[in-house]
Each structure stands twice: as C-alpha cells, then as structure tokens.
Amino acid sequence: PALAPAAAAHDISSCLLSNGVSNFSLPSSPSYTPLLDSSIRNLRFELPGVGKPAAVILPASKRDLQSAVVCARAASLAIRVRSGGHSYEGLSYTTENHVPFVVIDLAGLNRVRVDRRSATAWAESGATLGEVYHAVGLSGGRNLAFSAGSCSTVGMGGHTAGGGFGLLSRKYALAADNVIDAVLIDPSGRALTRATMDDDVFWAIRGGGGGSFGVVYAWKLRLVPVPDNITVFSIGRTGPVELIAGLMHRWQYVGPSLPDEFYLSTYIPTRSSNGNLSMSFTGQVLGTKRHAMAVLSQTFPELGLAESELSEVSWLESAVKFAGLSSVADLTNRQPGVRQYSKSKSDYVRAPISKQDAIKILRYMSAGPEGSIQLDPYGGAMARIGSTVTPFPHRAGYLYSIQYGVSWKASEIDRADEYIGWLRSFYTFMAPYVSKNPRAAYVNYLDLDLGTNGWKNATGGTSVAHAASWGERYFFTNFDRLVRAKSKVDPENVFNNAQSIPPLHYDR
Ligand code: FDA
C-alpha cells in the first residue's frame, strides 16, 4: 500500500539526499507553494481542493532525474513529470483519487545545444519552446528554425511527446516528426537512447502523449531551413454574421490547400459587439511580401489583404511576434503572461462546412460565454506523412483542427460549471460538422471529458478496451501499437495518469 503523504515525504527526502539530490521542496518548506505554482498554466488546478504532491523535485542533471524516479518508486509515490506545466487538464502536477505523489519538475533541465553544421540540436525536456527558438535563432545566421507551437512558455517535454503543431508544420510537420534521437529514463531509472530502446518505444514517445512511457530527459532535433526574411501578418476583420461566416467558409478551401510555405490560421471569439462578429487571421509565409500578396490575392481575394498589413522579419522575430512578446530576450522568460481558468476541447474537419452551417455555428457561439475557436490548417507536409509513421494519425484527408475554449476570471469562479457546460453542449452541437468514427481529437489538447482511466478501480476500469474509447480518438489504430510499446517499457504501469496508455494485462 502507498505510504501516507507525511511519511512518504520523509522517506523520499532521505532517499534523495542519500543519492546526492538536494534540490527538492517539501510541503513544510516556504519554497514549496511558489515552486509548485511556478508553471501552473490553468488556474483551475491551483484551487485549494486540488491534491498536492508530497514533494516537488527539481533535478539539476540527468543523474538527479534518474535518482528522482528510483526514490519516488522506493517511497511508493506516484510520479508526475512536469516540463512546461501547460497540460490542459493539469496532469503534470495532479493525481486522481488522492493517490500520494511527487512532481518531478524539469524546469532546471532546460539546456539547448545547437550544432549548425549538422542542423541539429539537443534540447533538454524542461526547455520551453521559447528557449529552444532563442537558442536556434541566435546560433548564428537567420536561416535555421525548429518546427513547433507558438506559445513560448509551452515545455518541450509535454509538447513534443504529444506531437507539437505550429506555424512551420505545413512545411516541416510536427515537432515530434523532427525528433531523431532521445534519452528516455525508464521505470528502473535507466537512461535509454534510440539505439538501446525498443523501436516501438522510440516510435511511441514521438506523439503518443506525455506521461505514459517514462521521462524523456532530452530530444535530438532536426532543424529546418528558412529564408533570411519571412513574411508575417495578423489581421482582424469585423462584420455581421454573414460576412464572418463567408470568410470562415472560404478559408476552409484556402488554408489547408495553400502551398507548403504558407500558414494561415483563423481565430474567432464568441463575443460580438454591436451585433458584429470579429475574426482574426494569423499568417506566416516563407517568402517575400510580394510572393505572399501574389498568392493570397489570387486564392483568397475575399480577405482583402493589403501589402501594408504584411511585414518581413527573421524567423526568430516571427516567433517573438506570434508568442505575443515584444523582444527576442522575452523568449527565455518562463513566466506565462496570462494565467487563466480555462477548459478546451478539439475536433478535426475532413469536409468543408457549408456557409449556412457556418452561420448556425457562429450564432451558437455568440450566445456563449467568453471563449473562442481556433482553426489550424493542415495539408502540405502534414498530409504527406503516413498516418502510422508516428502515433499522431491526423494526416491526409484532415483539412484542419478546431480548438474550442472557454475561459473565466477568479471573480466568475462560481460560474465555472456553467461555462464548461456550455462548451460541452457546443461540442455536441458541432458533431454533424466534424470527423466521425471515431470523432478525432488532438492529444496535446487533452480533454478528460473523452474518458479516464480508473487505476484504483478493482472492477477493471483500467482495461485496454476502456482506454481505447478515447485512445482511438487521439491515435486511431496506432493505439494498439502504443499499448504494445507501453507493455514493453513499463509493464508495471509506473508512469500513468488519467488518460495514459495502459499496458496489456494490467488490472490494478
Ligand atoms: P506539462 O509539463 O503539463 O506536460 C504535459 C504532459 O506531458 C503531462 O502528462 C506530463 O506528465 C507529460 N510530460 C511532461 N514532460 C515530460 C517528459 N519530459 N517526458 C514524458 N512526459 C512528460 N500545442 C500545439 O501543438 N501547438 C501550439 O501552438 C500550442 N499552444 C499552446 C498554448 C497554450 C497557452 C497552452 C496552454 C497549450 C498549447 N499547446 C499547443 C498544447 C501543448 O502542446 C500541450 O499542453 C503540451 O502537453 C504542454 O507541454 P508542457 O511540457 O508545457 O506540459
């Protein structure tokens, strides 16, 4: 049986100290709460009712990390690994069913070493995307980049483990598609590399979701070429529902089928003003303004793009802009700018939604609480990679992803259930317009509404069949191979969470 939290904390501290790990914090320490809260992005999981860990361990080296895993197991504590803390469901620093646990926080493992000659980099998992972009962009020259998400405080650990989509993904695919080696700490604390880990395991850690297969200590990344100058824009359009629905409708034929060097996403908030709706477009083109204008005025004249709305910048400056920052130095600031209470869900669209249906969707949204939809274009390189090459299966035939979100402030906390309820009914409303059988979802937009493991449920709530009910929505048939990989590397299910991949024949 698991130890009581206080006893467990005592046990783990002596184990850590005897292994030379001194950088950890217990609940009695003044550093504990600031450390625990330091990278909590979603304030829903900072509320007093949420169970707290018996210790937060901050490994300073790979060896510390290995000891942390061994000591947590010796003290019968569950392990939660945190890189950037941006899990939508707080899975990197919470447990279900009040299971005693430790957080192994990789914030101190954030070194990035770039080798321009081979166009590769080793990044420790605790590095944020901003820290990776900063290191790559300042390694000399403007023409190397890394393909991953736009928010600078997202951690490499969780992000790459679940795929990692961003503004370069139509040209160079996901962060996980650009991983060429990794160091994985297994349940015994051993460090495995691509050469020494099972092929199924190396496949699984590149998109099968964080927290299931061990702790990825570091990733070897393929860097990608970009021009010295690229074109960027963020523009807003406002108007009556018919106008916005018209733009949304047209975008579906443009965003996913532009040439690979184009990224054009759109974001639509729920709130309208004076009866008008608004939407914004984010664009990045690996080419000149002239090239961007020539293609976009042809393919999307309805957007009415003006050359004065475009600017030419380096890829690094583009990363600063799309992270909402003001300087290159800000990329290394790990403190999230906006911390909110929020809930998100996701979908994929395979066939364009009609303009009439777009009107219905926008009308539904304008009766909702503060929230938004974000439409991210696939196509290009995303569609050319086979759906079983990595665990991430949403490839050819997937036009775009939808991310739905609602958010609220502390002053509205008593309305949280109402807002989340609205989001769920909106998701139900969207069913006819999105992918089916299964209704697909993106594991990095983690959504516990899709189902959860019940690890303490003796009636077998943890079965592979049960987990398949959401696992196939994230991974389709790749789910089976993920279960095989899990069974090889972690048959005892040391690394688990509410939606982790279960091993075969495990019923505890
Ligand atoms: P966190 O530390 O919370 O970890 C997430 C999960 O991975 C947890 O289960 C954790 O245990 C596990 N994990 C963490 N480190 C690990 C490691 N080293 N080894 C094994 N498991 C590990 N996505 C996207 O594709 N494109 C985007 O542009 C964005 N943008 C974005 C903006 C904002 C504001 C948020 C909050 C989220 C996104 N995301 C995103 C989603 C993001 O990719 C997703 O939440 C990642 O899992 C976050 O990774 P972190 O390391 O920050 O999270």
Side-chain angles (χ1 to χ4, degrees), residues 62-269:
K62 182 177 79 176
R63 199 174 173 284
D64 280 3
L65 173 57
Q66 294 171 283
S67 302
V69 169
V70 170
C71 289
R73 287 194 72 188
S76 301
L77 290 163
I79 296 171
R80 291 296 179 267
V81 181
R82 183 163 79 175
S83 287
H86 280 45
S87 166
Y88 281 167
E89 299 281 10
L91 295 193
S92 51
Y93 51 87
T94 62
T95 49
E96 322 73 55
N97 304 329
H98 306 287
V99 177
F101 70 110
V102 291
V103 169
I104 303 180
D105 189 322
L106 306 187
L109 297 177
N110 63 344
R111 285 160 288 228
V112 183
R113 209 176 60 221
V114 177
D115 178 12
R116 288 190 70 83
R117 232 169 14 98
S118 61
T120 60
W122 271 103
E124 288 179 329
S125 278
T128 59
L129 301 185
E131 289 171 330
V132 172
Y133 296 163
H134 190 263
V136 172
L138 294 184
S139 65
R142 295 161 69 97
N143 49 16
L144 265 191
F146 180 60
S147 179
S150 51
C151 172
S152 60
T153 51
V154 164
M156 277 298 287
H159 186 68
T160 311
F165 179 89
L167 288 98
L168 291 174
S169 293
R170 297 192 67 258
K171 176 79 176 168
Y172 295 118
L174 304 171
D177 296 323
N178 290 289
V179 168
I180 49 183
D181 204 342
V183 178
L184 176 73
I185 310 304
D186 78 1
S188 315
R190 270 185 313 231
L192 308 174
T193 64
R194 180 177 190 166
T196 54
M197 77 180 92
D198 186 275
D199 285 349
D200 284 343
V201 176
F202 184 63
W203 174 86
I205 59 174
R206 292 170 297 146
S212 288
F213 307 100
V215 189
V216 176
Y217 157 69
W219 309 89
K220 186 176 187 184
L221 311 172
R222 183 191 301 118
L223 305 179
V224 297
V226 287
D228 284 354
N229 279 325
I230 67 177
T231 298
V232 293
F233 57 92
S234 316
I235 54 170
R237 297 290 183 257
T238 306
V241 67
E242 289 76 14
L243 179 105
I244 300 299
L247 286 173
M248 177 180 158
H249 176 247
R250 257 316 283 160
W251 173 85
Q252 301 172 103
Y253 294 89
V254 179
S257 47
L258 281 165
D260 295 7
E261 68 272 21
F262 281 71
Y263 169 91
L264 179 65
S265 66
T266 179
Y267 172 90
I268 309 178

